[in-house]
Amino acid sequence: MRRTFLIPRRKLPGAPASTNPANETRSAKALRTVAASGLILIAAALPSAAGEQVSPGLATERHDLKPKDKARVDRVVRPTTDFSRPEQFELMQGGAGTSEKRVNQDAFSHSSANITFEEEGTFKLGNGMFRKLWVSSPSSTQASDGLGPLFNARACQSCHLKDGRGHPPEGNSDATSMFLRLARPAETEEEKAALAERKVLNFPDPVYGGQFQDLAVPGLKGEGRMVISYQQFPVELAGGTKMVLRWPSYSVSDLGYGPMNPKTTLSPRVTPQMIGLGLVEQIHPADILANADPDDKDGDGISGKPSIVRDHKTGELTLGRFGWKASAPSIRQQSADAFAGDIGISTPDVPHHWGDCTKAQGTCLAMPNGVQDRLGPAEAPDPIMDLVTFYSQNLAVPARRDIDKPEVLRGKQMFYEAGCASCHMPKFVTRRDAPNKAQAFQLIWPYSDFLLHDMGEDLADGQQVGDATGREWRTPPLWGIGLTQTVNGHTFFLHDGRARNLTEAILWHAGEGQAARDRFAALPASDRDALIKFLESL
């Protein structure tokens, strides 16, 4: 059996007319607003269940800073208007933890430069857990069994190749670093209420669960096979430059457990790079919420909105900031979800000993699990979770390159003037009260607002994930993007890797990104090339 999911394609425009330079980008307005009034408070826009107090994860003011420091931070993070030279500290885009080691295939795998000697040891142990190959139960290696029974990979490193960016299967390569999320819409009033109260992000397929898993332990069938096909169509840019974009469609074949629910949607996801996650975790929620404009009250066409989720442990509403749809509030929760969904390993945070197996997959649930009484009530107990979390929090951001080259500076100016910085906001200063001093009060340059944006029908997956609709995605950070080829040997971008280079990635922007995309397409070829050179320097 084979099911195909097609998204109607609209014709992408060619080279548009040049934009009006008087139109003020959101980054420019942010500069003006910050200068006039400091932090923007959007507490009124934050949803909350009846009777709930606003949690620290949704704070709209930075109580970690004294007024003097607050004013200093506001000055530092203002968007620049001087493109004649690099900004101060721009080279060190990951703050004091930036890696200045030689650029090679290991560029994303270095520890933060400012952690202690003792923490370096913890980081290396965490790296070992990240690379650990899990095996099926029962096994003589009792600290490593529990794989699956259904799974997509045997180790974290198998998906996050060299701690970098995944890719769609091309040629004879496998689909290990890309998978399909499965979800169906709410059908009953009870399900709709659970969504509204943020008790769930969405609802899995009743047979195949929340993730399509093509691998299985011995004695069990995998769920099937992901199939991708592409159609190509031309796009013309200013100056007569012609590009060919590829339009993907996704299906599943060789289903091992009967048909899927006809309303189940398939959402393809490549694994994102891992660098700088601990710094992102320590951006104060007030600084992310300050840039949200969910109702587009300023009329600029950009209505970024926060993803509000529940913390697994506390049950409190908090800010989601990790994942393609900002569905996870913390690195630990993101890791626990990945252990369960990708590898089929239970943790204290997500105690699913049979991973994503559903009630309809009785043979899967009948397989042995890897829980060992002497190690605790989960296959990956707290010590493993602590190590993997620490490792993920302390993967260093590489230093910038070529920041003073005229073409890169020109490209940076084009990036700002095209409006790219409206969503890919350049810089933040992390919270002073971060649990680890290595991430505290650091000026960082992730180039993201960590908000959800409607990216149009072209990039839509039709799948709701919490606050994110089927057309909305979190702005992905851009730091390190220029090293994708060096680290991972490819240049596939966007959530499903459909873009084969950075130019194609920009041309796929629609919805709230349409205006910036059109400005880019209208630039002279030399300015477009300069903008790409700027991105390659990140």
Side-chain angles (χ1 to χ4, degrees):
M1 178 180 179
R2 178 171 175 169
R3 295 189 60 213
T4 301
F5 295 75
L6 292 173
I7 301 172
R9 187 178 87 209
R10 65 174 179 77
K11 183 180 178 181
L12 291 183
S18 60
T19 56
N20 181 359
N23 290 339
E24 190 176 35
T25 66
R26 185 163 67 132
S27 57
K29 285 188 284 189
L31 188 161
R32 172 170 49 78
T33 305
V34 167
S37 61
L39 187 66
I40 305 169
L41 302 181
I42 63 162
L46 295 177
S48 61
E52 286 187 304
Q53 299 292 322
V54 175
S55 74
L58 296 176
T60 55
E61 293 186 75
R62 288 201 62 166
H63 296 296
D64 63 312
L65 298 178
K66 296 178 181 179
K68 183 177 179 180
D69 285 337
K70 173 70 170 55
R72 177 184 167 200
V73 167
D74 289 346
R75 288 194 302 271
V76 167
V77 300
R78 290 176 187 174
T80 187
T81 57
D82 180 6
F83 302 99
S84 65
R85 58 188 176 184
E87 296 175 68
Q88 190 176 17
F89 307 120
E90 191 172 6
L91 177 71
M92 305 293 284
Q93 59 181 345
T98 301
S99 171
E100 298 183 86
K101 294 185 177 181
R102 184 173 61 183
V103 173
N104 56 26
Q105 195 177 18
D106 295 322
F108 291 167
S109 299
H110 300 303
S111 61
S112 299
N114 60 341
I115 61 175
T116 67
F117 180 79
E118 181 180 6
E119 288 173 331
E120 182 68 29
T122 304
F123 177 86
K124 290 177 179 178
L125 288 172
N127 186 22
M129 293 298 101
F130 199 77
R131 294 170 176 269
K132 179 187 180 75
L133 291 173
W134 295 86
V135 297
S136 58
S137 302
S139 170
S140 59
T141 56
Q142 293 183 356
S144 297
D145 65 348
L147 176 68
L150 296 167
F151 61 97
N152 293 107
R154 291 181 58 199
C156 305
Q157 183 76 21
S158 300
C159 294
H160 297 279
L161 310 171
K162 303 294 290 184
D163 304 298
R165 191 182 303 269
H167 59 81
E170 299 286 323
N172 293 324
S173 65
D174 62 27
T176 301
S177 62
M178 181 177 182
F179 57 82
L180 296 171
R181 293 279 192 208
L182 309 178
R184 62 170 177 81
E187 296 177 345
T188 66
E189 291 303 316
E190 184 180 2
E191 289 181 344
K192 292 175 183 178
L195 279 175
E197 295 171 14
R198 292 176 171 78
K199 294 180 178 179
V200 296
L201 295 172
N202 53 28
F203 296 94
D205 182 86
V207 174
Y208 291 89
Q211 189 163 314
F212 193 67
Q213 293 153 327
D214 56 345
L215 302 175
V217 299
L220 190 68
K221 293 186 298 184
E223 292 185 324
R225 186 168 59 91
M226 172 173 62
V227 180
I228 311 174
S229 61
Y230 294 100
Q231 299 175 0
Q232 295 190 338
F233 61 99
V235 176
E236 185 170 341
L237 311 182
T241 300
K242 292 181 172 62
M243 299 284 296
V244 176
L245 302 184
R246 59 178 192 171
W247 179 272
S249 63
Y250 299 93
S251 61
V252 290
S253 65
D254 304 325
L255 291 176
Y257 298 89
M260 283 187 182
N261 186 303
K263 295 182 180 180
T264 294
T265 55
L266 307 180
S267 180
R269 312 283 178 88
V270 296
T271 50
Q273 62 191 27
M274 300 280 292
I275 58 173
L277 297 183
L279 294 167
V280 172
E281 194 169 41
Q282 297 309 320
I283 297 173
H284 198 285
D287 288 349
I288 295 175
L289 295 172
N291 295 310
D293 184 15
D295 299 318
D296 192 21
K297 291 182 178 179
D298 58 12
D300 67 350
I302 297 174
S303 53
K305 73 180 187 184
S307 170
I308 310 301
V309 299
R310 287 198 183 274
D311 184 279
H312 279 187
K313 286 194 168 183
T314 67
E316 291 183 342
L317 293 176
T318 189
L319 184 65
R321 59 182 79 192
F322 298 105
W324 283 106
K325 297 210 174 191
S327 56
S330 68
I331 296 170
R332 185 180 175 104
Q333 185 163 318
Q334 177 85 338
S335 300
D337 289 339
F339 264 120
D342 300 348
I343 313 177
I345 295 294
S346 62
T347 63
D349 303 66
V350 182
H352 299 166
H353 307 320
W354 290 270
D356 194 37
C357 295
T358 67
K359 293 180 180 179
Q361 297 170 323
T363 53
C364 182
L365 295 176
M367 303 294 285
N369 64 61
V371 175
Q372 309 290 331
D373 290 339
R374 65 187 179 83
L375 298 177
E379 293 164 324
D382 276 322
I384 291 179
M385 282 300 298
D386 292 343
L387 289 171
V388 169
T389 300
F390 186 85
Y391 175 75
S392 302
Q393 288 171 332
N394 287 282
L395 282 162
V397 180
R400 284 279 304 279
R401 300 156 308 286
D402 303 326
I403 63 172
D404 55 353
K405 284 191 174 181
E407 187 177 19
V408 171
L409 290 169
R410 175 65 176 165
K412 179 181 177 181
Q413 182 175 358
M414 295 300 98
F415 182 87
Y416 276 67
E417 291 183 356
C420 304
S422 295
C423 298
H424 292 283
M425 304 195 76
K427 47 191 169 177
F428 292 87
V429 173
T430 60
R431 55 193 310 154
R432 187 182 281 281
D433 57 355
N436 189 325
K437 291 183 179 179
Q439 283 103 35
F441 209 53
Q442 298 294 314
L443 172 61
I444 62 173
W445 306 69
Y447 286 91
S448 172
D449 60 6
F450 303 99
L451 298 171
L452 299 171
H453 294 276
D454 183 337
M455 295 303 294
E457 198 62 32
D458 298 323
L459 292 177
D461 65 351
Q463 190 171 108
Q464 179 181 359
V465 182
D467 286 335
T469 69
R471 293 165 55 106
E472 291 178 326
W473 302 92
R474 182 201 69 158
T475 307
L478 298 180
W479 51 12
I481 199 168
L483 293 176
T484 303
Q485 175 69 60
T486 300
V487 174
N488 296 119
H490 69 80
T491 55
F492 296 111
F493 299 107
L494 300 179
H495 68 280
D496 57 0
R498 71 177 67 186
R500 292 164 292 189
N501 52 58
L502 290 169
T503 299
E504 288 189 15
I506 296 171
L507 294 177
W508 274 108
H509 283 54
E512 295 176 47
Q514 183 75 49
R517 178 259 179 220
D518 290 349
R519 294 185 190 107
F520 171 79
L523 290 173
S526 60
D527 285 343
R528 292 197 303 269
D529 291 343
L531 193 153
I532 298 301
K533 287 292 185 185
F534 164 68
L535 293 177
E536 290 174 346
S537 77
L538 297 178

